[in-house]
């Protein structure tokens, strides 16, 4: 790639690889493959595009002498226009580490919130945009000064350089660089493999009626003793895994006092189990037929994970809904 006609090749590869890796993540790959696909997206490609946009010219070791009449100094001034290969690689990682959290912060402020899809989409769009800006910056750079990537004769580490001031030993810098990159890749892989998940929860509700100006209650609150009725419930599983639920409907005769509610008699009207996949919503139709008579009743709808205990109550249920009703 030393031919000056291929000065944009590395940025075209960045755009193509970004698109391919993003598609791979969204296609549902998992395990080691997911880690291998995600690490370049978050630890290298965005930073490389930014570095290329900021430094479109190649490095040089031209020296410019001081004006001794003005400064009184005789040492030459090193005027380096661009970056060495190792400097580009290191800054690419550093800038990526800075760009990815900024992208996540912006994603968290969007209506869809901080999700993996939003963050990866933002990183991909940012990388492509910066790559296009970098192509424009190189295009405006004079051809003799333009940075052109090369596959051969380019050192991947700091080399010994001698100038008019001193000779430096690059070995400590190269060792520190290798250790830092290993730790960074390891930590990035661990973060990808063990991405945090929100605490699981389950939404449980009783379907309500359309509210109008004549609506007294949002649910069916009048039942007839001995007459069957349908009670609709909705379960939404956000527990990060498939769950089996059991819904129990109790008819309770109660009395209301200042210090709370006293349950005098309880009758189980319905019990039904269902399995709900993670992220899915399941509706249940429960047939209830009250047989009690008297005043002050309520339907208590209980939700359990798995099988309920022999004596289902509000206290031992995972979710509980109390619905005051009238019996005719």
């Amino acid at each position: 790639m030393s031919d000056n006609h291929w000065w944009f090749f590395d940025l075209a590869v960045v755009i193509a690889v970004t698109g391919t890796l993003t598609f791979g993540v969204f296609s549902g790959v998992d395990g080691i493959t997911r880690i291998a696909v995600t690490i370049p997206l978050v630890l290298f490609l965005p930073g490389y595009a930014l570095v290329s946009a900021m430094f479109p010219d190649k490095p040089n070791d031209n020296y410019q002498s001081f004006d001794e009449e003005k400064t009184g100094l005789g040492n030459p001034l090193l005027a380096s226009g661009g970056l060495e290969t190792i400097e580009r690689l290191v800054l690419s990682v550093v800038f990526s580490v800075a760009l990815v959290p900024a992208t996540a912060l912006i994603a968290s402020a969007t209506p869809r919130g901080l999700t993996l899809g939003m963050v990866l989409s933002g990183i991909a769009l940012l990388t492509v945009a910066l790559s296009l800006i970098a192509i424009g910056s190189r295009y405006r750079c004079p051809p003799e000064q333009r940075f052109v990537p090369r596959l051969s004769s380019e050192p991947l580490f700091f080399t010994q350089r001698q100038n008019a001031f001193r000779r430096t030993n690059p070995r400590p810098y190269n060792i520190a660089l290798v250790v830092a990159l290993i730790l960074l890749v390891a930590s990035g892989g661990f973060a990808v493999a063990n991405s945090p998940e929100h605490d699981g929860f389950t939404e449980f509700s009783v379907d309500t009626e359309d509210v109008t100006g004549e609506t007294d209650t949002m649910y069916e609150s009048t039942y007839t003793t001995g007459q069957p009725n349908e009670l609709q419930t909705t379960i939404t599983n956000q527990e990060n895994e498939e769950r089996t639920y059991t819904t129990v409907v109790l008819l309770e005769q109660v009395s209301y006092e200042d210090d709370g509610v006293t349950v005098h008699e309880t009758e189980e009207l319905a019990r039904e189990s269902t399995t709900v996949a993670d992220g899915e919503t399941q509706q249940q139709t429960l047939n209830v037929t009250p047989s009690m008579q008297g005043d002050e009743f309520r339907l208590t709808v209980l939700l359990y994970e798995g099988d309920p205990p022999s004596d289902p109550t509000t206290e031992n249920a995972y979710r509980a809904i109390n619905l005051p009703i009238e019996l005719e």
Side-chain angles (χ1 to χ4, degrees):
M1 290 190 297
S2 60
D3 189 347
N4 204 41
H5 294 296
W6 291 94
W7 53 268
F8 59 88
F9 185 80
D10 59 325
L11 295 172
V13 170
V14 168
I15 295 175
V17 170
T18 298
T20 302
L21 296 183
T22 304
F23 175 78
V25 173
F26 281 113
S27 65
V29 296
D30 205 354
I32 299 298
T33 304
R34 181 187 182 91
I35 297 175
V37 166
T38 308
I39 284 180
L41 279 175
V42 300
L43 292 182
F44 182 74
L45 295 177
Y48 185 84
L50 179 58
V51 170
S52 300
M54 296 176 61
F55 302 97
D57 49 349
K58 62 183 180 181
N60 63 77
D61 289 336
N62 297 328
Y63 287 87
Q64 178 181 356
S65 299
F66 281 112
D67 187 343
E68 296 185 15
E69 295 181 357
K70 294 183 178 179
T71 63
L73 300 175
N75 291 329
L77 173 66
L78 177 61
S80 180
L83 298 175
E84 299 288 347
T85 300
I86 183 59
E87 294 170 332
R88 288 181 178 272
L89 296 179
V90 171
L91 284 179
S92 297
V93 175
V94 172
F95 286 170
S96 294
V97 173
L99 288 173
V100 171
T103 304
L105 181 62
I106 295 174
S108 65
T110 62
R112 298 185 63 178
L114 184 60
T115 62
L116 178 62
M118 287 294 296
V119 174
L120 287 181
S121 298
I123 293 173
L125 292 175
L126 179 63
T127 303
V128 172
L130 289 174
S131 298
L132 295 176
I133 293 174
I135 291 175
S137 298
R138 285 190 192 172
Y139 179 78
R140 292 193 300 270
C141 192
E144 64 275 8
Q145 299 179 10
R146 183 183 297 152
F147 171 76
V148 180
R150 294 177 175 83
L151 292 178
S152 60
S153 69
E154 287 287 338
L156 294 180
F157 295 97
F158 293 108
T159 57
Q160 189 176 58
R161 298 176 64 183
Q162 182 177 1
N163 56 36
F165 303 103
R166 66 182 184 276
R167 176 181 297 177
T168 58
N169 180 14
R171 181 176 298 177
Y173 303 103
N174 291 332
I175 294 176
L177 175 63
V178 171
V179 172
L181 289 179
I182 292 176
L183 291 176
L184 183 62
V185 172
S187 60
F190 178 82
V192 173
N194 299 275
S195 55
E197 295 182 343
H198 60 77
D199 294 334
F201 64 94
T202 298
E203 299 178 7
F204 184 52
S205 63
V206 172
D207 291 358
T208 59
E209 300 176 351
D210 296 333
V211 177
T212 65
E214 299 179 354
T215 300
D216 294 328
T217 60
M218 297 179 63
Y219 59 92
E220 179 61 44
S221 61
T222 302
Y223 290 79
T224 302
T225 300
Q227 183 174 339
N229 292 270
E230 290 186 350
L231 182 67
Q232 298 281 345
T233 63
T234 301
I235 304 171
T236 301
N237 178 11
Q238 300 289 352
E239 301 284 356
N240 302 316
E241 62 182 4
E242 184 179 86
R243 291 291 176 90
T244 297
Y245 300 94
T246 301
T247 305
V248 178
V249 182
L250 303 178
L251 175 63
E252 297 178 330
Q253 187 176 26
V254 298
S255 61
Y256 296 95
E257 303 170 358
D258 294 338
D259 56 350
V261 180
T262 301
V263 178
H264 301 286
E265 188 177 355
T266 301
E267 176 187 10
E268 182 174 321
L269 301 182
R271 178 180 297 208
E272 184 173 332
S273 297
T274 184
T275 300
V276 186
D278 178 43
E280 298 295 326
T281 298
Q282 181 75 34
Q283 288 189 326
Q284 289 181 311
T285 300
L286 302 167
N287 294 314
V288 296
T289 304
S291 61
M292 293 185 184
Q293 294 182 343
D295 299 325
E296 300 288 353
F297 288 97
R298 72 179 185 185
L299 287 179
T300 298
V301 188
L302 307 176
L303 183 69
Y304 293 89
E305 292 181 305
D307 295 327
S310 57
D311 182 23
T313 63
T314 301
E315 288 73 22
N316 57 33
Y318 181 45
R319 296 285 186 268
I321 302 175
N322 295 316
L323 305 174
I325 64 170
E326 294 181 1
L327 282 181
E328 297 179 346

